[in-house]
Amino acid sequence: MAQLTVNEFKEQFKNMILRLYAEDVTDSDAHQQFTALAILLREQYAPNLKETRQHYENDRVKEAYYFAIEFLPGRMLQTTMLNLGLTDTITTGLMDMGLDVEKIIDAEPDPGLGNGGLGRLGSEFLDSAAALHMALNGNGIRYQYGLFRQMFDNGFQVEMPDDWLRNGNSWEVRRENRACLVRFGGNVWMAPDAFGRLVPHYENTTDVLAVPYDTGIVGYLNHTVNTFRLWSAELPTDPSKTYNLQQKEDVNEITEILYPDDSNYAGRLLRLKQEYFLVSAGVQSIVRHYRKHHRNLNHMDATVAIHINDTHPAMAIPELMRILMDEEFMSWDQAWALTTKVMSYTNHTLLAESLETWPVDMVAQTVPRIYQIIQEIDRRFRGLQIPVYGEERVNRCAPLGDGVVRMAYLAVIGSHSVNGVAKLHTELLESSVLKDLYRIFPEKFNNKTNGVTMRRWIQIANPPLTKLLDTEVKGDWKHRPLDIIGVQSFAKDPTFLKKLQEVKAKNKRSLAKKIREKLDISVDPDHAIFDVQIKRLHAYKRQLLHALYIIDEYQQIKAGQKLAVPRVHIFGAKAAPSYYYAKEIIKMINELAKVINHDPDVGDQLRVIFVPNYGVSEAEEIIPAADVSEQISLAGKEASGTSNMKLMANGAITLATMDGANIEIADAVGQDNIVIFGMTATEVAAYTNYSSQAIYDGDKHLQKVVNALVDGTIPNIDREGRDIYNSLLQYNDEYYVLADYESYAKAQDKITTLYQDPQAWYQMAAINIAKSGQFSSDLTIARYGDDIWHLTRDQFVN
């Protein structure tokens, strides 16, 4: 593959355009050029995909299957070119033909398969596993529409359809010959067959055909190509049945949109159907594939691992039990022993309200056989554990309780491994969120701190930094992430630091240009601090705390003071469509931005940018240009975070609470190279008599900042400003924004002081880059493979 010459590429590309569109390259548009290029690359890696599959099958290689309700792969063109070693060849060839490479890259839509860190993490893991020759396959849903395309109308978030599949997906291959049938509803009962075995009998079920679409995940400069499988819901191809339009719409709805609105019963029911559709199709496919190459299932755990990423795929546990008992005629004990050996689970939340539950009536009516199995899991769990741990404790952590199915508890009980995603997160799972199950199954719990792939976030997103590292750093940081530690030897080298400053300046100018082109707002890249907070909009992530500080800065300017250093505050965030409070914060920030960005008194001292429709492609533009990485969640609420890792790898200084992976970043870089503020998780837990009103009443400066929400300082937020104001005072500030405000403001002052000394600032940036290697997803996935799934891998990463 990598030996493809420029001339060979040009000839193949011209022929592909001709075959697809019956046109010359000069007559094709950017989307046609992207499509032709994607298909050409797919043909390039197809032989390796076949060889990888044959190797796994012929050599009985153990394979892991990563189940997630969302993935966030980002555009695949640059990643695939990079991993095939063809970036320079293709870029040169396209330019030789007079084509605009950037337009071709921009013609690829971001796959609408995910929302935030959860989905991005799964995609990082798939990329890293292929790079390490690990047999890890993705299983997800092929949503016709993504979460939504975010637009702002008069400052309000407006959700538009994200029709990412409008022009098809050039990377995927439909495999209808490997479709599976998924049953919903109806009635099911058990009756003995001719051999006396209890078998299920179904009637009046709604059957859905799950059709897989496979995409190759190409390993970095190696011959491994793994499979990322997405399932699409369709009507069964049964010639004896006819279906009306409503039935077709009901089936299509299952894979129509990511995260349907769950604020009503219909939306909740649809989400439940999506989750069972994913796990049933995926687990059926795994067992069928195993059966093709093995005589019996007794030792399936030796070659199969199934991973449940968060609770959404937790029904994989009863689904595998169903198949083993109902179709393979195993006893309960045999099936349960095998299931728990195969299954593993990652928890991603510390918020009790985010621990997924389903009403028992909904589960019983929607997936009746699965509910029967969950009932039996619950009965046996209680029977085993109550005599040892007592009824009260077991009642608190059993799969069934309070009229709901508790998916996190089901996932823990049915898995052999349960991991958190940062050191603090895992400790809090063990001591609070899942403490009862930890006391029963302490051997299951372990930590696997999240990671990010440096291939995308440095090599693709930040070519200037890549060039600098290639020139200065010894070792092979692209293959061995820990080798980036070599940057540390230059941390006090003025020449290197000057080059690093030039890299950042170049990236800031590039982002400023894009902001001007897309949003018609001018920002000063040469003097201003680019202060970035990019993540899902949720109250616990405290974008509100950041916004209050911007109000504070604005009020200083209006009072005649001049900021010591200009600031550009950059937000990127989507709020869930039914999350009204989060959408109010978006409205408030947008109106605040409008006031500040158009106030002549402000001049170039302050700008607020809210990037619409934040996603992977937007992150690739913002992250290399960031000076400050805002990681300001209330301590004890963020599981890990991954934007913190991407930003530090690109030389941003982390402004953070001691929460999630921020703690491990602080340990890595040292307290002198990160700016920490706020209460710790222990202090938050001990703060039982909190009064936000008392803090407000005792701080005249803070009063003025908070009052700006309701005193007309920010126009057009009469309702939103009042609701946010009330959340802080009348409803006692659930996420302790006011409690941490003074500490946060002092931390921002420290940022300002540090930034005025370029030598000190870029020394900190260099240390952050040097220490980022330990947060590579290559290392993280290697730990999953070694400790949980027991997969073979390339020893290149250690």
Side-chain angles (χ1 to χ4, degrees):
M1 294 177 204
Q3 284 71 44
L4 187 69
T5 68
V6 172
N7 287 334
E8 287 170 341
F9 162 70
K10 287 158 65 175
E11 189 66 25
Q12 291 181 22
F13 184 74
K14 290 174 183 177
N15 288 336
M16 182 64 72
I17 291 283
L18 181 64
R19 293 206 309 270
L20 291 175
Y21 305 110
E23 288 184 347
D24 291 330
V25 168
T26 52
D27 296 322
S28 61
D29 62 24
H31 184 268
Q32 291 173 327
Q33 292 157 13
F34 156 70
T35 302
L37 185 52
I39 294 173
L40 181 59
L41 288 170
R42 209 176 75 200
E43 291 181 354
Q44 287 288 313
Y45 67 68
N48 279 3
L49 176 57
K50 179 183 177 182
E51 290 173 12
T52 300
R53 295 302 324 158
Q54 288 177 338
H55 164 56
Y56 292 165
E57 294 164 4
N58 296 340
D59 296 342
R60 305 274 178 105
V61 173
K62 186 172 186 179
E63 297 184 60
Y65 298 86
Y66 195 88
F67 280 70
I69 202 70
E70 61 166 299
F71 288 87
L72 201 59
R75 293 169 174 165
M76 297 186 64
L77 179 60
Q78 287 180 283
T79 296
T80 306
M81 290 193 300
L82 176 72
N83 290 350
L84 289 174
L86 293 174
T87 300
D88 291 343
T89 298
I90 290 174
T91 301
T92 301
L94 294 173
M95 292 174 66
D96 283 354
M97 290 182 281
L99 303 179
D100 189 324
V101 178
E102 190 169 335
K103 282 187 177 179
I104 296 173
I105 292 169
D106 288 342
E108 179 179 7
D110 271 46
L113 301 170
N115 174 33
L118 179 72
R120 183 59 215 156
L121 184 71
S123 296
E124 307 263 344
F125 283 175
L126 296 182
D127 179 277
S128 287
L132 298 183
H133 300 286
M134 287 171 57
L136 178 66
N137 306 290
N139 256 274
I141 292 177
R142 184 180 182 267
Y143 300 104
Q144 181 181 349
Y145 297 95
L147 181 68
F148 57 84
R149 182 166 56 89
Q150 183 192 52
M151 297 180 65
F152 297 136
D153 183 6
N154 193 31
F156 291 102
Q157 171 179 290
V158 177
E159 298 95 24
M160 303 296 289
D162 177 17
D163 192 6
W164 74 282
L165 282 173
R166 182 180 63 179
N167 294 308
N169 179 4
S170 301
W171 302 108
E172 68 185 9
V173 176
R174 176 182 168 91
R175 301 193 185 277
E176 190 169 356
N177 62 324
R178 297 177 187 175
C180 302
L181 203 65
V182 179
R183 291 191 181 98
F184 292 100
N187 300 308
V188 59
W189 68 93
M190 308 299 291
D193 64 6
F195 300 98
R197 300 173 301 196
L198 285 176
V199 296
H201 292 264
Y202 296 87
E203 67 176 10
N204 300 325
T205 59
T206 299
D207 297 341
V208 176
L209 191 69
V211 179
Y213 288 74
D214 289 352
T215 296
I217 302 297
V218 180
Y220 179 57
L221 302 181
N222 62 28
H223 295 285
T224 296
V225 183
N226 287 332
T227 300
F228 176 35
R229 173 163 287 182
L230 299 174
W231 296 94
S232 180
E234 300 181 12
L235 287 169
T237 53
D238 185 345
S240 66
K241 292 184 178 180
T242 58
Y243 300 96
N244 59 40
L245 185 61
Q246 185 60 51
Q247 288 172 308
K248 179 178 174 60
E249 290 178 356
D250 290 345
V251 169
N252 289 344
E253 186 181 42
I254 294 172
T255 54
E256 185 175 27
I257 189 168
L258 167 67
Y259 290 144
D261 183 1
D262 63 352
S263 62
N264 55 55
Y265 183 88
R268 295 265 294 159
L269 177 61
L270 179 54
R271 286 186 66 165
L272 179 64
K273 287 181 177 179
Q274 286 183 333
E275 292 182 7
Y276 182 65
F277 173 81
L278 166 62
V279 301
S280 181
V283 174
Q284 286 186 64
S285 176
I286 292 166
V287 173
R288 182 175 59 195
H289 178 74
Y290 180 88
R291 264 298 201 185
K292 181 180 177 183
H293 301 282
H294 301 81
R295 297 186 66 178
N296 64 65
L297 288 119
N298 293 328
H299 303 291
M300 188 172 75
D301 60 299
T303 51
V304 171
I306 296 175
H307 197 78
I308 300 166
N309 191 36
D310 216 358
T311 53
H312 311 105
M315 280 186 286
I317 292 166
E319 175 65 8
L320 182 55
M321 289 292 291
R322 180 191 71 79
I323 294 170
L324 295 178
M325 293 189 299
D326 296 356
E327 299 178 9
E328 301 295 335
F329 304 111
M330 282 188 178
S331 69
W332 179 279
D333 290 341
Q334 286 177 305
W336 184 249
L338 188 56
T339 295
T340 53
K341 289 177 184 177
V342 167
M343 296 289 172
S344 53
Y345 161 57
T346 295
N347 175 282
H348 282 276
T349 186
L350 289 166
L351 303 179
E353 64 270 22
S354 295
L355 290 177
E356 190 177 43
T357 61
W358 296 104
V360 293
D361 290 346
M362 182 184 287
V363 178
Q365 293 168 15
T366 307
V367 283
R369 180 62 181 138
I370 294 302
Y371 181 65
Q372 291 174 354
I373 294 170
I374 293 172
Q375 284 182 302
E376 185 63 11
I377 293 172
D378 181 82
R379 187 186 72 79
R380 289 174 180 248
F381 173 75
R382 291 173 183 274
L384 281 172
Q385 305 304 339
I386 286 176
V388 181
Y389 295 100
E391 189 169 2
E392 183 179 353
R393 175 174 293 172
V394 172
N395 282 342
R396 289 199 302 263
C397 64
L400 297 176
D402 301 321
V404 297
V405 181
R406 301 185 286 205
M407 306 304 283
Y409 301 165
L410 174 65
V412 173
I413 292 164
S415 298
H416 72 274
S417 171
V418 180
N419 73 277
V421 292
K423 185 174 180 288
L424 175 65
H425 174 231
T426 300
E427 291 170 354
L428 290 172
L429 288 181
E430 295 170 354
S431 64
S432 59
V433 182
L434 298 174
K435 66 180 180 181
D436 291 312
L437 287 168
Y438 174 67
R439 289 172 184 170
I440 296 172
F441 303 114
E443 72 285 353
K444 293 187 179 187
F445 284 73
N446 60 94
N447 179 61
K448 297 289 177 286
T449 297
N450 284 343
V452 300
T453 173
M454 303 305 175
R455 283 172 290 282
R456 181 178 288 272
W457 299 110
I458 297 182
Q459 287 182 254
I460 291 174
N462 198 341
L465 179 58
T466 300
K467 184 177 179 180
L468 178 62
L469 296 178
D470 284 344
T471 303
E472 304 289 349
V473 177
K474 294 180 181 179
D476 188 358
W477 67 274
K478 291 177 179 176
H479 276 104
R480 291 191 292 264
L482 293 178
D483 282 3
I484 205 170
I485 192 66
V487 174
Q488 188 167 3
S489 63
F490 298 98
K492 295 183 180 180
D493 180 343
T495 302
F496 177 85
L497 297 180
K498 184 65 176 175
K499 291 177 181 177
L500 185 58
Q501 184 176 1
E502 290 168 357
V503 164
K504 184 64 71 174
K506 184 174 183 179
N507 291 326
K508 290 172 73 171
R509 291 183 193 118
S510 175
L511 179 59
K513 181 174 180 287
K514 286 174 175 142
I515 289 171
R516 186 170 61 253
E517 291 171 350
K518 295 179 180 180
L519 303 177
D520 195 26
I521 301 172
S522 294
V523 300
D524 179 3
D526 296 322
H527 302 97
I529 297 172
F530 279 23
D531 187 339
V532 169
Q533 189 174 16
I534 42 175
K535 51 187 75 251
R536 181 167 48 92
L537 203 305
H538 195 292
Y540 84 83
K541 295 179 185 288
R542 301 201 296 189
Q543 284 91 347
L544 178 57
L545 177 58
H546 189 174
L548 290 179
Y549 181 75
I550 297 170
I551 294 172
D552 197 340
E553 289 181 309
Y554 181 55
Q555 289 177 338
Q556 292 174 42
I557 294 170
K558 295 300 283 184
Q561 300 176 43
K562 186 174 182 179
L563 299 185
V565 180
R567 286 282 180 121
V568 177
H569 295 274
I570 301 172
F571 293 89
K574 290 182 179 179
S578 59
Y579 194 172
Y580 183 71
Y581 181 68
K583 293 170 79 169
E584 288 189 311
I585 292 174
I586 288 177
K587 166 67 170 173
M588 184 271 288
I589 294 174
N590 276 328
E591 293 298 340
L592 177 62
K594 189 184 299 182
V595 169
I596 290 172
N597 296 343
H598 294 91
D599 189 333
D601 292 342
V602 171
D604 292 331
Q605 293 186 74
L606 188 60
R607 288 287 184 274
V608 182
I609 308 297
F610 205 130
V611 177
N613 203 42
Y614 176 71
V616 177
S617 294
E618 289 73 23
E620 290 172 353
E621 296 176 347
I622 296 169
I623 287 172
D627 293 308
V628 176
S629 164
E630 297 249 4
Q631 310 296 332
I632 60 176
S633 54
L634 176 64
K637 298 301 181 183
E638 182 72 81
S640 169
T642 52
S643 69
N644 45 11
M645 302 169 187
K646 298 164 193 169
L647 285 154
M648 76 175 289
N650 281 272
I653 307 306
T654 308
L655 170 63
T657 53
M658 291 295 273
D659 196 25
N662 300 340
I663 295 172
E664 287 154 87
I665 291 175
D667 289 343
V669 303
Q671 294 293 319
D672 291 340
N673 298 296
I674 188 172
V675 179
I676 297 296
F677 76 95
M679 293 181 287
T680 65
T682 301
E683 290 168 339
V684 170
Y687 204 168
T688 55
N689 60 343
Y690 177 54
S691 169
S692 60
Q693 186 70 51
I695 291 176
Y696 171 86
D697 290 341
D699 188 333
K700 297 294 185 184
H701 182 82
L702 181 58
Q703 287 177 30
K704 186 178 179 184
V705 172
V706 174
N707 290 349
L709 296 168
V710 293
D711 67 6
T713 298
I714 310 170
N716 304 318
I717 60 163
D718 290 348
R719 182 182 61 191
E720 295 81 15
R722 177 58 63 179
D723 287 347
I724 297 168
Y725 179 90
N726 288 342
S727 77
L728 293 173
L729 297 175
Q730 185 176 339
Y731 299 106
N732 205 33
D733 185 17
E734 180 180 4
Y735 295 110
Y736 293 17
V737 171
L738 301 190
D740 271 351
Y741 185 78
E742 182 179 1
S743 178
Y744 176 70
K746 288 179 179 177
Q748 285 282 21
D749 290 343
K750 183 177 180 180
I751 290 283
T752 298
T753 300
L754 288 167
Y755 192 78
Q756 292 177 82
D757 182 351
Q759 181 84 6
W761 183 268
Y762 284 98
Q763 181 175 322
M764 293 173 65
I767 294 295
N768 274 268
I769 295 169
K771 297 293 187 176
S772 66
Q774 70 187 66
F775 298 102
S776 165
S777 54
D778 290 7
L779 300 177
T780 306
I781 205 64
R783 296 182 191 111
Y784 274 88
D786 292 349
D787 301 341
I788 298 176
W789 306 325
H790 308 298
L791 304 185
T792 59
R793 65 173 175 85
D794 189 341
Q795 296 303 309
F796 206 35
V797 168
N798 48 44

